[in-house]
Amino acid sequence: MDTLIQGQITKISQVAPDVTWFLRDAGLSDYYIIKLYDEMRGRALDLVREDPYSLLDIFPRLGFRKADEIAARTGVGRSDPRRVKAALRYRMSYSLSEGSSYVRRQDLIQDVSDMLDVPRAQAEEALSEMVLEGTMYATSVADEEAVYFYSLFRAESRTASRLVSLSAQDAQEMKNVVDDPESYLRRFEDEKSIDLSGTQRQAVLSAVTSGATVITGGPGTGKTTILNAIIYILEQSGQKVAVSAPTGRAAKRITETGGHFAQTVHRLLEYYYDELTGNMFFAKNADSPLKYDCVIVDEASMLDIFLMSALLDAIKDGTRLIIVGDKDQLPSVGAGKVLEDLIDSGCFNTVILKDIYRQEAESGIVMNAHRINVGDYPLIDDAAGNFRFMSLERQKDIQDAIVSYALDHKDGEVQVLTPSRKGLLGTADLNVRLQDELNPKDPEKEEMTFGKRIFREGDKVMQIKNDYGLAYKRESTDHALEDGRGIFNGEIGTIIGVDPAERSLAVVFDDDSTGIGCGRRYVKYEYTELDELELAYAITIHKGQGSEYETVVIPVSWFPPLLSTRSLIYTGITRGAKNVVLVGEQKYLNQMVDNDRRAARLSGLTDRIIQAYDLKMPRGL
């Protein structure tokens, strides 16, 4: 039957009957069967029979318990080495998804032993085999035994080594590259009719005379002005500067506010999709480095360890690196806490900005963000009026008020940000309500049901995973359509077409993640790709990180303690460009301000930076 089925598989009736019977009996739902068969065709049965746990590599959200059930139905025993190794990979992957770069060895062994109800010795033996195979790496961090995926250990080690090498240029040729930077800085101030503060001047001058610099500060502390001055000095002295950010929306905002073209780090590194391997690669690397004299990365709190490693691989010796971000924002979605680790290492030229400047001090958003950041409760009755609090107690009333506000202001850019995905004030419920009000059912609009979701023409949607192979058509400068690939986690678009017969959607993305700025991208989502989309009238604060919206609306009520933190509400508030509206109870807002706990991310980067620094520049010499 494989030879008869051409193109996209969208219905269970298109799957070979023997495959359907076997996989249903193994416990897979029809959607997973369709998705697996669409990708694997005749190899689907062999894959499940040979190693059912490989399904976790294809469907990470399937979960170990479900994969384990399928494995049991296919004859895999409780002590089968494949089962133990799969559990080790799954436990490691879970930590990676939570932001940790490694797992403590004892915790890993105990967790897998408990999860599978097998002796610790069996988990130890399986781990030792995986280390010998090269998939895992056993080492130590801060005098405790640690286990990494090898690829992650290599990224962390490479990052530390390259950062220290770039920083070591400080005392060599770098200080002589810019001739008389102070004269350029005075010229910048004259042309822009501004007077930089002492801290700002120190930040600019140290950055243009250092190999690696970190600049961190909250909203209104002058980061944009400092960046513009740095770029001015370097370009006036004949140097070529690249400005980048981890996300398309952040890159676009830098271009709009600073006037200098910015692009995503992925675009800077010229990412491409390899059809044969199904993986994403960068054309710019150690063998083909970037041809810039300075590379600047803004919104660096969003940099994960893999992207940072790839960037550093592509930066040649003699290039300045300037990292800019807000250390108090939430850390990256991916593994690591790069910006925090760089600052904590104490090995780099670091400028911490604290003062709020001029008109920014009059903004209720900026003022209250800084109050929250130092543990003070926000002032609700601020004179500026761009920071509002709507006092309500019942969660249903809070939900109603959020929906009403969004409906009343639907002609502007209103983004609902919430700490949680679940509950009345989570993204799932809020999106259903907001969809009903902002884009109601209409006989003139096609719609389609996918699981519990309804996708309708005109809906605001978000890509929820990196899909480097997803094809798009992009408007070029001459209005022609160019082919491209890659839609990234967190990108927001609009459904412009629904085809119920084909069970597919057409989505347009206005913000070009590549940073080229050549116009909108049009994407066709086939049925087996629909699990990559969610409604985006309401998104989590984590998903909103790095973006800026005209108005943000945030529910403030009871949420689990891990989601009711100072850094979370601080990040949410700082996403608002013009207006922030909080809806709920002030006591819960105060509790979030008081809760300064951060999720414990395990990272060895600080230790590795210090070790690399001491090897290159022994202290005391």
Side-chain angles (χ1 to χ4, degrees):
M1 185 169 177
D2 284 347
T3 58
L4 300 178
I5 299 296
Q6 301 293 327
Q8 187 77 19
I9 305 297
T10 62
K11 300 176 183 177
I12 196 67
S13 60
Q14 294 175 285
V15 179
D18 59 330
V19 176
T20 300
W21 296 331
F22 181 87
L23 295 180
R24 275 180 175 170
D25 188 57
L28 276 184
S29 69
D30 282 359
Y31 178 72
Y32 279 121
I33 294 172
I34 293 169
K35 195 172 175 74
L36 179 65
Y37 192 73
D38 182 63
E39 183 170 335
M40 307 296 294
R41 301 297 165 104
R43 293 176 293 147
L45 282 185
D46 291 338
L47 177 78
V48 177
R49 285 169 174 159
E50 289 172 11
D51 184 4
Y53 296 104
S54 62
L55 289 170
L56 290 171
D57 298 326
I58 303 172
F59 311 125
R61 289 189 289 175
L62 182 67
F64 184 83
R65 181 178 296 178
K66 188 64 179 176
D68 207 28
E69 291 175 4
I70 294 169
R73 293 180 188 181
T74 57
V76 175
R78 295 181 60 80
S79 298
D80 191 301
R82 291 175 295 174
R83 182 173 185 250
V84 183
K85 289 182 179 180
L88 287 164
R89 287 196 307 272
Y90 182 78
R91 173 64 179 84
M92 290 284 291
S93 296
Y94 175 79
S95 291
L96 194 67
S97 70
E98 293 291 300
S100 288
S101 299
Y102 69 87
V103 179
R104 295 182 182 91
R105 185 184 184 111
Q106 292 305 310
D107 291 345
L108 176 63
I109 296 301
Q110 189 62 56
D111 288 350
V112 169
S113 175
D114 293 342
M115 184 168 71
L116 302 184
D117 192 22
V118 298
R120 285 174 55 91
Q122 191 171 346
E124 285 277 12
E125 182 180 355
L127 176 59
S128 297
E129 289 180 9
M130 295 174 82
V131 170
L132 288 173
E133 292 164 359
T135 56
M136 300 288 198
Y137 191 87
T139 184
S140 63
V141 176
D143 297 325
E144 64 181 10
E145 292 183 293
V147 179
Y148 286 81
F149 281 123
Y150 180 75
S151 59
L152 213 154
F153 172 77
R154 185 184 182 283
E156 196 174 85
S157 299
R158 179 66 175 165
T159 295
S161 175
R162 289 296 298 140
L163 280 170
V164 170
S165 292
L166 292 174
S167 180
Q169 299 172 137
D170 214 15
Q172 300 166 16
E173 73 275 15
M174 299 302 294
K175 286 189 176 181
N176 299 320
V177 172
V178 179
D179 183 31
D180 196 7
E182 293 197 31
S183 67
Y184 284 115
L185 184 55
R186 287 193 296 271
R187 191 187 307 170
F188 171 81
E189 290 177 301
D190 290 341
E191 289 186 13
K192 303 297 181 181
S193 300
I194 58 175
D195 292 312
L196 298 183
S197 71
T199 302
Q200 289 177 312
R201 294 181 66 84
Q202 183 256 327
V204 172
L205 294 173
S206 66
V208 299
T209 56
S210 298
T213 297
V214 179
I215 300 172
T216 182
T221 54
K223 295 193 299 294
T224 299
T225 301
I226 289 168
L227 273 186
N228 289 340
I230 291 169
I231 294 167
Y232 178 90
I233 292 172
L234 293 175
E235 291 189 335
Q236 287 293 309
S237 62
Q239 297 187 47
K240 191 177 179 184
V241 180
V243 183
S244 63
T247 69
R249 285 185 71 100
K252 182 179 180 181
R253 180 160 53 84
I254 294 165
T255 301
E256 292 172 344
T257 59
H260 191 285
F261 171 70
Q263 59 190 316
T264 63
V265 177
H266 281 84
R267 176 60 185 172
L268 177 68
L269 298 179
E270 299 179 11
Y271 79 93
Y272 66 92
Y273 177 74
D274 188 306
E275 294 275 4
L276 292 176
T277 64
N279 294 321
M280 186 270 297
F281 294 96
F282 294 114
K284 292 301 179 184
N285 49 46
D287 296 325
S288 178
L290 294 166
K291 296 179 180 179
Y292 291 96
D293 301 298
C294 177
V295 173
I296 297 172
V297 183
D298 201 356
E299 292 288 356
S301 62
M302 300 179 67
L303 276 176
D304 64 38
I305 190 65
F306 285 118
L307 190 55
M308 185 64 170
S309 176
L311 175 65
L312 292 169
D313 268 346
I315 294 179
K316 65 182 187 297
D317 289 339
T319 304
R320 278 187 183 78
L321 175 65
I322 300 174
I323 301 293
V324 184
D326 185 347
K327 65 181 179 62
D328 297 312
Q329 297 278 355
L330 292 169
S332 60
V333 174
K337 44 190 179 74
V338 172
L339 180 61
E340 182 180 337
D341 285 346
L342 263 62
I343 295 170
D344 288 348
S345 73
C347 295
F348 308 106
N349 172 43
T350 301
V351 180
I352 300 176
L353 305 171
K354 297 180 180 178
D355 297 328
I356 307 174
Y357 292 95
R358 294 185 181 90
Q359 70 272 17
E360 297 287 358
E362 299 174 6
S363 164
I365 299 172
V366 171
M367 179 189 66
N368 281 319
H370 282 271
R371 288 183 63 85
I372 288 169
N373 201 28
V374 297
D376 293 334
Y377 301 144
L379 300 177
I380 303 304
D381 56 343
D382 64 286
N386 64 352
F387 186 93
R388 293 183 54 200
F389 193 96
M390 299 170 61
S391 184
L392 293 167
E393 293 185 7
R394 296 175 62 242
Q395 291 200 349
K396 181 62 169 63
D397 294 337
I398 295 170
Q399 187 190 77
D400 290 342
I402 290 172
V403 173
S404 178
Y405 184 93
L407 188 60
D408 290 343
H409 297 81
K410 64 181 180 180
D411 292 335
E413 185 191 31
V414 175
Q415 182 61 61
V416 178
L417 300 177
T418 178
S420 178
R421 295 176 58 85
K422 300 178 180 179
L424 281 175
L425 301 179
T427 56
D429 281 21
L430 280 170
N431 271 316
V432 171
R433 287 288 315 279
L434 289 163
Q435 182 190 45
D436 286 344
E437 294 294 337
L438 298 175
N439 189 32
K441 189 177 181 67
D442 186 328
E444 298 297 317
K445 294 181 177 181
E446 290 282 7
E447 64 177 52
M448 182 174 63
T449 300
F450 177 74
K452 295 181 179 179
R453 306 171 203 167
I454 295 175
F455 290 124
R456 184 176 296 137
E457 286 181 27
D459 273 337
K460 184 179 182 181
V461 290
M462 172 180 276
Q463 174 79 12
I464 60 171
K465 61 172 283 190
N466 289 334
D467 189 335
Y468 304 111
L470 195 56
Y472 61 74
K473 297 282 188 180
R474 182 178 56 228
E475 295 174 344
S476 65
T477 51
D478 60 359
H479 303 294
L481 291 177
E482 300 174 340
D483 292 329
R485 286 184 181 272
I487 303 295
F488 291 80
N489 187 1
E491 291 199 65
I492 292 178
T494 303
I495 295 177
I496 57 172
V498 177
D499 189 331
E502 278 195 19
R503 304 175 86 183
S504 64
L505 301 176
V507 177
V508 60
F509 292 92
D510 291 323
D511 292 312
D512 189 347
S513 71
T514 64
I516 294 176
C518 291
R520 299 179 295 178
R521 289 159 299 145
Y522 298 88
V523 182
K524 181 180 180 181
Y525 283 83
E526 304 289 359
Y527 177 68
T528 54
E529 296 162 339
L530 294 182
D531 59 343
E532 298 181 14
L533 281 179
E534 286 184 353
L535 293 175
Y537 300 103
I539 63 176
T540 63
I541 293 174
H542 279 88
K543 289 290 189 183
Q545 189 180 1
S547 297
E548 192 173 76
Y549 310 94
E550 182 179 314
T551 299
V552 299
V553 183
I554 305 173
V556 180
S557 184
W558 184 91
F559 292 103
L562 283 176
L563 298 178
S564 300
T565 65
R566 184 186 301 174
S567 62
L568 193 92
I569 193 65
Y570 171 77
T571 300
I573 286 171
T574 54
R575 299 308 91 204
K578 295 183 178 178
N579 300 289
V580 169
V581 181
L582 304 180
V583 187
E585 290 190 78
Q586 191 165 350
K587 70 176 182 180
Y588 289 116
L589 174 60
N590 294 348
Q591 286 177 13
M592 294 180 88
V593 175
D594 290 338
N595 182 9
D596 196 25
R597 67 185 289 185
R598 289 175 176 257
R601 289 191 171 206
L602 299 177
S603 167
L605 182 58
T606 295
D607 276 18
R608 300 198 195 290
I609 289 172
I610 293 171
Q611 291 167 12
Y613 186 90
D614 286 344
L615 283 173
K616 197 166 190 73
M617 294 173 285
R619 300 172 195 272
L621 296 183

